[in-house]
């Protein structure tokens, strides 16, 4: 019921915009699922249980766009794709999936299989992630601050961008495969001339740390697709 109220409020808020776009409709993730008492009946009856009819807008849509979904709602997103979208185009818009992935596997959130089986299938079309770093050196100014961004504009490659003194960003490295956070940082440090420790030395290990990537960047062998990496 709460979802329906939010949808009605959103439709009223964007009524004028929707009227100017006759081929655009607004729905919600539970619009084709039984809820309340009927949801309990369907849960016990399985596939034979009653479920509401898929709305006309969802039946005729060629492209679906989901916005503002949280980590706990990823299960609803996945079921909507399986039940309603099926083989049609599905777009996640500004969901900050890396932030959502960090919660997977924690108590009260979907398991990590959500990444392996579902999120790994999404191809990043536009991606930008900014990071700020600093490093101490033995000469003035003693602390060097540098910033950069990992950028991807499909069908272009993944690019490591460094922020210049003018505030603009310049590409310093690129490849077809996504950089993990450790590789991204190393590319920035290299172009800044900050990789001064001998490779394999204790100092190099202490600078990089033991862990230089996230679990979802490491678990490639468990994924059903590498779309999110390429």
């Amino acid at each position: 019921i709460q979802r329906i109220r939010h949808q009605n409020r959103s439709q009223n808020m964007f009524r004028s915009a929707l009227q100017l776009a006759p081929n655009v409709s607004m729905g919600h993730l539970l619009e084709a699922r039984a809820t309340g008492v009927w949801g309990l009946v369907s849960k016990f009856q399985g596939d034979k249980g009653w479920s509401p009819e898929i709305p006309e807008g969802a039946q005729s849509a060629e492209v679906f766009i989901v916005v503002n979904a949280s980590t706990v709602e990823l299960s609803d997103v996945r079921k909507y794709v399986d039940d309603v979208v099926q083989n049609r185009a599905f777009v996640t818009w500004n969901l900050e999936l890396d932030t959502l992935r960090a919660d997977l596997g924690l108590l009260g959130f979907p398991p990590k299989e959500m990444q392996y089986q579902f999120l790994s299938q999404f191809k990043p079309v536009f991606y930008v992630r900014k990071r700020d770093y600093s490093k101490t050196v033995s000469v003035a100014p003693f602390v060097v601050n540098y910033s950069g961004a990992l950028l991807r504009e499909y069908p272009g490659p993944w690019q490591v961008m460094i922020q210049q003194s003018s505030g603009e960003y310049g590409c310093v490295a690129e490849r077809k495969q996504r950089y993990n956070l450790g590789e991204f940082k190393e590319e920035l440090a290299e172009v800044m001339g900050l990789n001064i420790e001998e490779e394999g030395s204790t100092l190099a290990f202490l600078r990089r740390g033991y862990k230089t990537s996230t679990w979802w960047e490491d678990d490639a062998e468990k994924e059903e697709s590498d779309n999110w990496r390429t």
Side-chain angles (χ1 to χ4, degrees):
I1 295 177
Q2 192 70 17
R3 294 286 184 91
I4 296 175
R5 290 175 179 172
H6 286 320
Q7 181 191 13
N8 292 338
R9 184 172 61 186
S10 298
Q11 286 179 332
N12 291 332
M13 184 182 302
F14 298 106
R15 185 183 302 277
S16 299
L18 291 172
Q19 290 174 346
L20 295 174
N23 294 323
V24 177
S25 62
M26 183 179 294
H28 59 88
L29 295 174
L30 301 183
E31 62 185 1
R33 290 171 60 183
T35 58
V37 175
W38 288 112
L40 293 175
V41 172
S42 297
K43 182 176 181 180
F44 285 108
Q45 292 184 346
D47 294 337
K48 297 181 181 180
W50 177 86
S51 60
E53 183 179 355
I54 298 175
E56 181 180 351
Q59 291 184 32
S60 59
E62 297 179 357
V63 178
F64 295 80
I65 302 175
V66 62
V67 297
N68 199 33
S70 64
T71 308
V72 295
E73 291 174 315
L74 287 177
S75 298
D76 294 333
V77 175
R78 183 177 183 180
K79 184 166 180 57
Y80 190 86
V81 171
D82 292 340
D83 295 347
V84 180
V85 180
Q86 298 179 354
N87 294 323
R88 290 174 286 179
F90 187 79
V91 179
T92 63
W93 184 271
N94 285 350
L95 289 196
E96 298 185 2
L97 289 182
D98 279 353
T99 301
L100 303 189
R101 287 183 177 106
D103 292 330
L104 297 179
L106 300 178
L107 182 64
F109 295 96
K112 292 182 178 181
E113 281 70 26
M114 181 65 69
Q115 161 65 16
Y116 305 146
Q117 301 170 2
F118 183 62
L119 297 182
S120 64
Q121 301 180 49
F122 285 88
K123 176 77 72 175
V125 175
F126 181 79
Y127 178 99
V128 59
R129 184 170 186 174
K130 298 181 180 180
R131 305 288 287 187
D132 299 315
Y133 300 104
S134 62
K135 182 179 179 179
T136 57
V137 293
S138 58
V139 295
F142 302 109
V143 176
V144 178
N145 299 309
Y146 57 104
S147 302
L150 181 60
L151 174 69
R152 203 291 170 82
E153 292 181 279
Y154 185 83
W158 291 88
Q159 296 180 310
V160 176
M161 313 290 289
I162 193 166
Q163 186 175 17
Q164 304 174 71
S165 57
S166 63
E168 298 180 345
Y169 286 82
C171 179
V172 297
E174 64 178 38
R175 70 183 189 190
K176 295 181 179 179
Q177 193 80 0
R178 172 179 170 145
Y179 295 86
N180 66 36
L181 288 181
E183 294 169 334
F184 166 70
K185 182 179 179 181
E186 286 299 303
E187 293 289 353
L188 292 179
E190 182 68 28
V191 76
M192 289 288 294
L194 297 176
N195 286 344
I196 57 177
E197 296 85 359
E198 183 180 351
E199 187 66 29
S201 66
T202 302
L203 287 177
F205 173 79
L206 292 175
R207 178 176 62 82
R208 295 188 179 97
Y210 172 73
K211 190 68 174 177
T212 60
S213 56
T214 60
W215 64 262
W216 59 89
E217 292 172 328
D218 292 338
D219 293 350
E221 71 283 353
K222 298 180 181 180
E223 297 170 352
E224 294 187 2
S225 172
D226 66 350
N227 277 349
W228 81 283
R229 299 176 181 271
T230 59

